[in-house]
Amino acid sequence: MKTHRLSRLTRNRRSAAVEPLEARIVPAAIFWDGGGDGVNWNSANNWSNNAVPTAADDVTISPAGAITVSLTSGAQSVLSLAIPGDDTLSITGGSLTLAASSAVETLVLGGSGALFANAPLSLTGTVSFGGNATLGGSATVTVEVGTTLNVTDNEPNLATELVNAGTVRVGNAYLDLDGTAAKVRVISGGVFETANTA
């Protein structure tokens, strides 16, 4: 009787063996709370976790009221970026790289700033693109229906495929198509206007 009970306990212990799971990194959801200076991307206290977002983070900027978040220096990377409302992202120095699908309502890309989309990026509001800024990456950037991208000054560099379903206006500027991947594809309903004939 005792032998029987022991063998059953031994058998149960064997079946309850636990195998280790594979290591996984779960993306963190980080949002802008403006708790630092309320303006600068690189101010850690402006973010919900009190740290500047990293390549492992899904980032949302959508506080109450309209704000402008400025990135002026440093090479920043996030997993994804969502700016769905009346807020503006201004990149005039440094760079921001996006690894997963993202959407930005209002974007100012100028100076020596750079935005690299390595997954589809949707632009859904008003976009200003000028100076010597760069819009690049390995994925397409789409100017959505109802969106206007204004090429405002100097010779900004387009280094990816821009799919235009909205309006692209080239004013007193030249859009520099930089590299073999660079092109503007105007699809049904899209408008491309330029004041320059050169």
Side-chain angles (χ1 to χ4, degrees), residues 4-188:
H4 178 67
R5 287 181 67 197
L6 286 174
S7 65
R8 186 169 51 193
L9 285 173
T10 304
R11 191 169 54 243
N12 287 343
R13 281 190 189 137
R14 276 190 233 140
S15 64
V18 177
E19 294 181 17
L21 294 173
E22 63 192 59
R24 293 185 184 184
I25 297 173
V26 177
I30 307 298
F31 62 90
W32 179 271
D33 64 14
D37 64 8
V39 175
N40 291 303
W41 180 286
N42 292 335
S43 176
N45 290 333
N46 283 328
W47 300 100
S48 58
N49 63 340
N50 293 326
V52 176
T54 70
D57 297 328
D58 289 312
V59 173
T60 300
I61 299 174
S62 186
I67 63 159
T68 296
V69 175
S70 296
L71 175 58
T72 58
S73 65
Q76 304 297 327
S77 295
V78 299
L79 186 60
S80 69
L81 176 63
I83 306 180
D86 53 1
D87 305 303
T88 300
L89 175 62
S90 173
I91 305 175
T92 56
S95 65
L96 177 62
T97 300
L98 310 173
S101 294
S102 298
V104 174
E105 178 75 17
T106 304
L107 173 67
V108 174
L109 185 56
S112 61
L115 178 60
F116 300 106
N118 293 329
L121 171 61
S122 176
L123 302 175
T124 58
T126 301
V127 180
S128 175
F129 185 29
N132 295 307
T134 299
L135 179 59
S138 60
T140 58
V141 176
T142 301
V143 178
E144 300 290 355
V145 173
T147 299
T148 300
L149 185 152
N150 293 299
V151 182
T152 56
D153 61 85
N154 263 350
E155 295 184 29
N157 304 297
L158 180 65
T160 190
E161 181 179 358
L162 186 70
V163 177
N164 179 27
T167 300
V168 173
R169 288 195 179 107
V170 182
N172 187 24
Y174 295 94
L175 188 60
D176 185 3
L177 300 182
D178 185 8
T180 56
K183 60 182 167 182
V184 177
R185 183 159 56 96
V186 181
I187 61 176
S188 178

